[in-house]
Amino acid sequence: MSQPYFEAYSHRQPPVFAPLGAGRRRIWHFLAGATVAAGAVYLQWRWTASLNPEAWVFSVSVAVAETLFFVGTLLFYFDIWDEGARPVMPTETAKLHEEAAGTATTVDVFVTTFDEPVELVRPSLSAATEVLVPKGVRVRLCLLDDGDRAEMALEAERRGISYFARRTNEGFKAGNLRHALLRTSGDFVVICDADTRLLPTFLQNTLGYFENPKVAWVQTPHWFYDLPEGETWESWLAQKLPRWAFAWPKTIGALLRGFARVATWITGRTRVGADPFMSDPSVFFDVIQRRRDRNGASFCCGAASIHRREAVFDAALRDKAQVVLADKSPLSDKTRLAAHPLQPYRFHVSEDLYTSILVHADREADWTSVYHPQVEARMLSPWSMSAWAAQRLKYAGGTFDIAVWDNPIFRRGLSWRRKLHYGATFWSYFSALWAPVLLLAPVVSLFTGLAPVRAYSLEFFQHFLPAVILGELAMVASCKGHAIGAGRVMAVVALPVQWRALYCVLRRQKPQFAPTPKVPGLNESSSLWMVWPHVVLLMIMSVAALWGIWQTVLNTPGYSSALLWVNLFWLLINMRLVARALHMARWRSPAQLNARHLSVSQSKSSEVPHGVQFPAG
């Protein structure tokens, strides 16, 4: 049996996320304030002095989109304003029980699975058995198999661990968790997905937070240890060049270095094929989640989290009581109680986010959450376009469903700070409604000769550039060196997925619960069909650029050099973002490439130029 692909990356060590330094914090706060001020001045001028009377609909639409993005900036700045100063609480210093009680703290570790192969789940079980258990703590490892498979039952029996399976899949992952919760009794519950490999220090570094009796859960960062590293631009180009080109090593070396500089400048990436699906979640966890923790508002992200059983059931019972009391159907009390099953984790595609809202909204119990800033588990990232799309569709569908049909902004019990934090999450997804306006604005201008402003004058740039430049500097200062470009790319590339998710939610179609595929298929078909909207959009943008150039050359009324160059500039930036989808669709894992091109590689192996190194992709 061949070794699973992810074992080749097991040697990688997790990053250490440093706190935001005092100096950087002051710079970030100054730049954030300056950005808000410059943005407000720009919008005031935009609405009062720059609307184009010759294109009212177009001009107002762009101004509305700009205003909505500014509101999103305000929410985002509140979201990430500061990290707070929560100290790490090692378990050894905590008193989880009164000493007089003389009872051990019990922890249930749940490893959930549905259709993942046993080869993927096995390392997760092994890692869970290697977790260091603090003094006075007892751990019970449980395999929750919603696929009810014989091979999983045998694996659990071989390891001597608890095994739970169901005949139905009601509630999917949330139902799977409930099924096990009702058959276990641990004081705390650790949630792991099939691919979650806990680090030995997990319990030592998370249980201590529960010394505070109001802590409902502790969330740790997600770290994808299998992210492809890609290869350098020089190596990538060297493999494309013919053998005879290397007869002049100095010339070809200079060419390769020059190409690498240009490619890095254009793409913003130093390597080809590195993190092809932009799955690195460092910005979300180390910036957003970490800073929400100052208000006890970091939400649960499922895997690699640990929960207080009391809090889970307390919130579920209160929610069930509200639902039953609101049920005005002419049924007996017993029938109504049975019609609304207890849901410790809400039966929903985003059960982690939904349950977080319910617990945070429980004002009477006053539960809070903790975000532990350091990595305590390894996980696997999507390794195909279909896996990426399935994951994004699930995220978007779940978030839209909550925002549209049970928005926490209108839920009693949530503090105004938590409402703003959750509001920032929902606003970022709803930006898919107005992002196309700015994405297509250059196309409209180049096709029609109409500008969204009166003129691209010096006054325009005096108002526009300070807001844009200060905003970029603020992002760099706030994100502690993490790559910020991936978020912008995702905001564009994922638009079709988000539109589909919102369309389904508005039609009351429940989001699907399909788990994200974790194992790349060797024979997976081409994913180019998944990016046909991006291809069409790129074609339209290209035609718009050519049309605008041609009309400017002809001195067509409405066209000018200023209109052409400004819109070509933004059009090229937007095309670069859209084109990223094609790269994602064409990417193949090393195993897929080896399986497809083994014979070709063998026939050309003698043609590799001497002295050229090809790092593993």
Side-chain angles (χ1 to χ4, degrees):
M1 181 180 297
S2 61
Q3 188 182 54
Y5 80 96
F6 48 81
E7 291 298 338
Y9 304 94
S10 295
H11 66 281
R12 293 181 177 175
Q13 297 301 309
V16 176
F17 295 119
L20 185 68
R24 182 182 285 269
R25 180 184 291 108
R26 287 191 291 269
I27 295 173
W28 145 239
H29 286 170
F30 170 78
L31 290 172
T35 300
V36 171
V41 170
Y42 169 73
L43 287 176
Q44 187 274 337
W45 172 82
R46 186 78 174 84
W47 282 103
T48 59
S50 77
L51 294 179
N52 187 354
E54 298 179 1
W56 275 110
V57 174
F58 179 38
S59 186
V60 170
S61 298
V62 173
V64 168
E66 290 174 325
T67 303
L68 292 173
F69 272 111
F70 181 70
V71 173
T73 298
L74 295 178
L75 287 171
F76 183 67
Y77 281 7
F78 170 81
D79 213 22
I80 66 170
W81 182 249
D82 205 356
E83 285 186 354
R86 184 190 298 277
V88 175
M89 181 68 72
T91 303
E92 287 77 2
T93 65
K95 296 180 180 179
L96 300 179
H97 287 275
E98 293 293 333
E99 294 182 1
T103 58
T105 298
T106 54
V107 178
D108 295 324
V109 178
F110 290 168
V111 177
T112 62
T113 179
F114 174 58
D115 60 358
E116 298 83 1
V118 69
E119 291 78 16
L120 186 143
V121 180
R122 190 174 288 133
S124 300
L125 297 175
S126 298
T129 61
E130 296 170 3
V131 170
L132 300 175
V133 180
K135 183 180 179 181
V137 176
R138 288 190 291 107
V139 175
R140 180 185 182 185
L141 177 57
C142 308
L143 178 58
L144 282 54
D145 178 23
D146 232 19
D148 193 13
R149 293 162 292 171
E151 61 269 27
M152 286 296 177
L154 289 174
E155 182 68 20
E157 182 180 4
R158 184 180 70 82
R159 292 176 177 271
I161 62 176
S162 300
Y163 176 78
F164 299 105
R166 301 185 296 165
R167 294 182 178 178
T168 66
N169 297 120
E170 179 191 17
F172 296 86
K173 181 180 177 181
N176 193 14
L177 291 170
R178 184 190 71 169
H179 181 259
L181 281 168
L182 296 176
R183 288 158 177 79
T184 55
S185 58
D187 301 309
F188 302 98
V189 176
V190 177
I191 296 179
C192 300
D193 286 341
D195 63 312
T196 306
R197 300 168 68 170
L198 298 177
L199 297 180
T201 56
F202 184 88
L203 291 179
Q204 288 184 332
N205 293 337
T206 57
L207 271 177
Y209 294 107
F210 291 101
E211 184 178 35
N212 178 355
K214 292 301 181 181
V215 171
W217 71 81
V218 176
Q219 179 65 57
T220 68
H222 289 183
W223 174 53
F224 299 133
Y225 68 99
D226 67 332
L227 291 179
E229 293 179 319
E231 57 185 339
T232 63
W233 284 108
E234 294 98 320
S235 177
W236 178 83
L237 179 60
Q239 296 177 70
K240 309 297 181 182
L241 296 176
R243 180 182 178 84
W244 56 262
F246 293 86
W248 302 277
K250 291 185 178 180
T251 303
I252 202 65
L255 172 65
L256 293 174
R257 289 190 296 272
F259 173 79
R261 293 192 186 98
V262 173
T264 300
W265 180 79
I266 293 176
T267 65
R269 302 171 72 85
T270 59
R271 301 178 71 86
V272 185
D275 189 12
F277 302 105
M278 290 163 287
S279 301
D280 184 359
S282 297
V283 171
F284 173 72
F285 282 99
D286 191 42
V287 178
I288 297 175
Q289 281 278 66
R290 188 167 185 168
R291 298 182 195 180
R292 288 182 173 189
D293 190 47
R294 73 185 189 276
N295 292 321
S298 59
F299 60 82
C300 171
C301 298
S305 61
I306 179 170
H307 303 244
R308 189 189 299 270
R309 178 183 291 265
E310 176 190 355
V312 172
F313 278 97
D314 175 73
L317 288 169
R318 292 176 189 273
D319 183 60
K320 179 180 173 71
Q322 292 178 4
V323 172
V324 171
L325 291 175
D327 186 352
K328 303 302 181 181
S329 58
L331 301 173
S332 65
D333 291 343
K334 183 177 181 180
T335 303
R336 281 190 291 136
L337 282 171
H340 303 286
L342 184 69
Q343 300 180 28
Y345 295 97
R346 194 61 175 258
F347 289 5
H348 194 266
V349 66
S350 294
E351 82 288 336
D352 42 15
L353 176 61
Y354 211 150
T355 302
S356 298
I357 294 170
L358 296 178
V359 176
H360 277 152
D362 192 347
R363 178 172 294 181
E364 185 175 344
D366 194 27
W367 296 114
T368 189
S369 58
V370 168
Y371 177 73
H372 174 72
Q374 301 305 328
V375 173
E376 301 293 345
R378 304 168 182 264
M379 300 179 194
L380 299 177
S381 63
W383 262 45
S384 68
M385 190 68 177
S386 58
W388 172 85
Q391 185 183 71
R392 294 287 167 172
L393 184 64
K394 184 167 60 175
Y395 290 166
T399 304
F400 281 135
D401 189 67
I402 297 171
V404 172
W405 302 118
D406 193 10
N407 197 313
I409 304 301
F410 309 108
R411 179 179 283 271
R412 293 183 178 181
L414 276 177
S415 67
W416 67 268
R417 291 183 177 86
R418 285 174 173 166
K419 286 183 177 182
L420 285 178
H421 285 301
Y422 282 115
T425 296
F426 298 132
W427 195 269
S428 68
Y429 276 92
F430 278 110
S431 66
L433 295 176
W434 48 87
V437 176
L438 299 186
L439 187 67
L440 295 175
V443 174
V444 175
S445 290
L446 291 170
F447 271 132
T448 64
L450 298 173
V453 294
R454 285 181 182 269
Y456 292 112
S457 60
L458 178 61
E459 185 182 15
F460 166 75
F461 291 107
Q462 287 175 335
H463 285 86
F464 177 73
L465 289 180
V468 172
I469 294 173
L470 286 170
E472 288 297 303
L473 293 175
M475 284 297 296
V476 172
S478 67
C479 291
K480 301 192 300 186
H482 297 304
I484 58 177
R488 295 190 181 95
V489 175
M490 281 293 101
V492 173
V493 172
L495 281 176
V497 175
Q498 291 179 302
W499 294 335
R500 177 186 172 192
L502 181 58
Y503 173 76
C504 292
V505 166
L506 293 177
R507 294 190 62 192
R508 291 279 190 171
Q509 296 179 6
K510 285 297 182 182
Q512 298 300 308
F513 290 78
T516 303
K518 298 294 184 181
V519 179
L522 294 181
N523 298 316
E524 184 170 336
S525 59
S526 173
S527 301
L528 289 176
W529 67 270
M530 301 181 68
V531 294
W532 69 263
H534 306 83
V535 174
V536 172
L537 183 55
L538 285 172
M539 294 174 62
I540 294 173
M541 288 176 162
S542 300
V543 173
L546 295 174
W547 180 263
I549 294 172
W550 179 243
Q551 295 302 311
T552 304
V553 171
L554 295 178
N555 291 320
T556 302
Y559 287 86
S560 66
S561 296
L563 183 143
L564 175 66
W565 289 113
V566 169
N567 285 283
L568 278 181
F569 174 78
W570 288 114
L571 185 72
L572 291 175
I573 290 179
N574 293 343
M575 290 180 71
R576 172 187 167 190
L577 297 177
V578 175
R580 179 67 182 177
L582 276 65
H583 172 74
M584 293 168 57
R586 293 187 61 196
W587 186 84
R588 293 292 179 269
S589 69
Q592 290 172 311
L593 292 176
N594 289 338
R596 182 177 300 179
H597 302 300
L598 181 59
S599 59
V600 176
S601 298
Q602 290 175 341
S603 65
K604 293 187 176 182
S605 61
S606 59
E607 299 181 8
V608 176
H610 178 69
V612 178
Q613 297 180 349
F614 306 111

